[in-house]
Amino acid sequence: MPNTYDIAVIGSGPASLTAAIYTSRGAAKTVILAGSNWGGQLMLTTEVENFPGFDHILGPELMAKMKNHAVKFGSEFIGADVEEVDFSRQPFTLKANGKDYQTKSVIITTGANARWLNLPSEREFIGRGVSSCAPCDAPFFKEKNVIVVGGGDSAMEEALVLTKYAASVTIVHRRSNFRASKIMQSKVLNHPKIKVIWDTEVTEILGTDKVSGVKLKNVKTGETRDMPIDGVFVAIGHDPNTKLFAGKLELDEKGYIKIISNSKFLISNEKGEEVGNRFSTMTSIEGIFAAGDVHDFRYRQAITAAGFGCQAAMDALSWLEEVRP
Ligand code: NAP
């Protein structure tokens, strides 16, 4: 039947495309509902140096390779946004481009978007001095001076990663205390390479072809000044793309999809003690799995998303084969 699938993958970043490679190679009829802007966060990245097997590749090129790989093994790729989901009965129904797609199982990989400061110059400098990922981009700032914007755990982590490369790291925070955990704060505040500028906002990013400085404003005094700088790491949080699933799947308090340890699938040891769950990527609805940044706010790397995509695919394949009536 047209538009009837074993597995529908919603999203098109590394989690999605890895999942689709595994499910289509696993002989499951697979559709990728990729979204109208396919490829996820790597489409906004320039150089990638930490994806195994690629010591240097452009983000969009890596995503094109993953897409071709998934399509080569038989996945159908549809560049449309899913507008509505009905998870209340089997087969599940997904509506995209005005068409209904019926599927026995779903893998959700809709990712999360980094929050940005929304300054006019910010987008223009992404990949040219502005970044939201220190593990990805810190090595490009060897012996340079950088700032990190934010006061949560992400900002602390980004700053600590950057100290391994940069000559100096300055955290610019809009208040006079951090919201990060005490342990992370203490690492940062005791680090000889890290300075903090409190009560201050970045109001503009300066430069011509790449970042050369920022405009800062003290929110208490109103005083403004320019600060020369080579890199700006924005670490003010992420928003998971889960609006579509609100009220349909369990989400955590920040809107990330919850992985649920379904009591039907517990694994016990010989003493009868629970040691895990057969489906480590299953959501609150059986047959619906989640992978990548839509669930994982901790690692947020292309390679971890790909790994979670593989897990979700293997879970979906075995659920279809062994559990679904
Ligand atoms: P977060 O905790 O929401 O912190 C965001 C930070 O950015 C806050 O300090 C906030 O300032 C600031 N901010 C927000 N919008 C801003 C804007 N427009 N301009 C300037 N500053 C702005 O986000 P997160 O740090 O990404 O952490 C998210 C979750 O992941 C947290 O639960 C965190 O604990 C967890 N996490 C844990 C680890 C770890 O365990 N190592 C690592 C990373 C993340 P205000 O404080 O003034 O609101």
Side-chain angles (χ1 to χ4, degrees), residues 9 16 22 28 61 68 75 82 135 141 147-148 183 197 207 214 272 323 325:
V9 184
S16 155
Y22 273 76
E61 197 186 337
N68 293 341
S75 290
V82 175
F141 293 86
I147 63 165
V148 175
I183 184 161
I197 302 180
V214 284
V323 180

Side-chain angles (χ1 to χ4, degrees), residues 91-266:
F92 305 122
T93 305
L94 312 177
K95 201 181 268 302
N97 247 356
K99 285 190 198 137
D100 281 352
Y101 295 83
Q102 307 242 295
T103 182
K104 296 174 190 165
S105 176
V106 179
I107 300 176
I108 300 173
T109 66
T110 45
N113 292 329
R115 283 189 208 136
W116 295 99
L117 298 167
N118 293 327
L119 303 173
S121 49
E122 189 179 39
R123 286 264 142 179
E124 184 190 325
F125 287 123
I126 290 175
R128 293 187 292 133
V130 171
S131 169
S132 63
C133 178
C136 319
D137 296 333
F140 302 120
F141 293 86
K142 272 195 191 105
E143 296 310 318
K144 307 267 187 202
N145 300 305
V146 299
I147 63 165
V148 175
V149 185
D153 281 321
S154 296
M156 306 299 113
E157 263 193 355
E158 299 271 298
L160 291 165
V161 169
L162 282 158
T163 57
K164 299 193 179 104
Y165 302 90
S168 76
V169 180
T170 304
I171 299 177
V172 177
H173 184 41
R174 64 183 178 182
R175 292 188 299 123
S176 53
N177 49 53
F178 288 140
R179 74 169 58 235
S181 55
K182 290 286 173 243
I183 184 161
M184 295 298 279
Q185 289 195 35
S186 127
K187 282 186 190 171
V188 158
L189 295 171
N190 291 311
H191 199 292
K193 257 194 194 178
I194 302 179
K195 283 188 296 188
V196 184
I197 302 180
W198 302 105
D199 298 315
T200 297
E201 284 176 354
V202 175
T203 55
E204 199 51 274
I205 296 169
L206 310 170
T208 43
D209 55 333
K210 60 184 173 110
V211 170
S212 62
V214 284
K215 202 173 263 305
L216 300 179
K217 180 180 177 192
N218 183 303
V219 293
K220 288 199 166 151
T221 63
E223 187 191 320
T224 62
R225 66 179 167 109
D226 290 355
M227 176 183 185
I229 210 78
D230 305 300
V232 178
F233 285 76
V234 180
I236 60 172
H238 285 75
D239 294 312
N241 296 316
T242 52
K243 264 197 203 126
L244 194 58
F245 312 113
K248 315 231 164 164
L249 284 178
E250 280 189 41
L251 308 179
D252 72 11
E253 67 285 354
K254 292 207 162 118
Y256 288 86
I257 292 183
K258 271 192 181 172
I259 297 302
I260 305 289
S261 181
N262 188 320
S263 55
K264 270 168 74 180
F265 304 120
L266 292 177

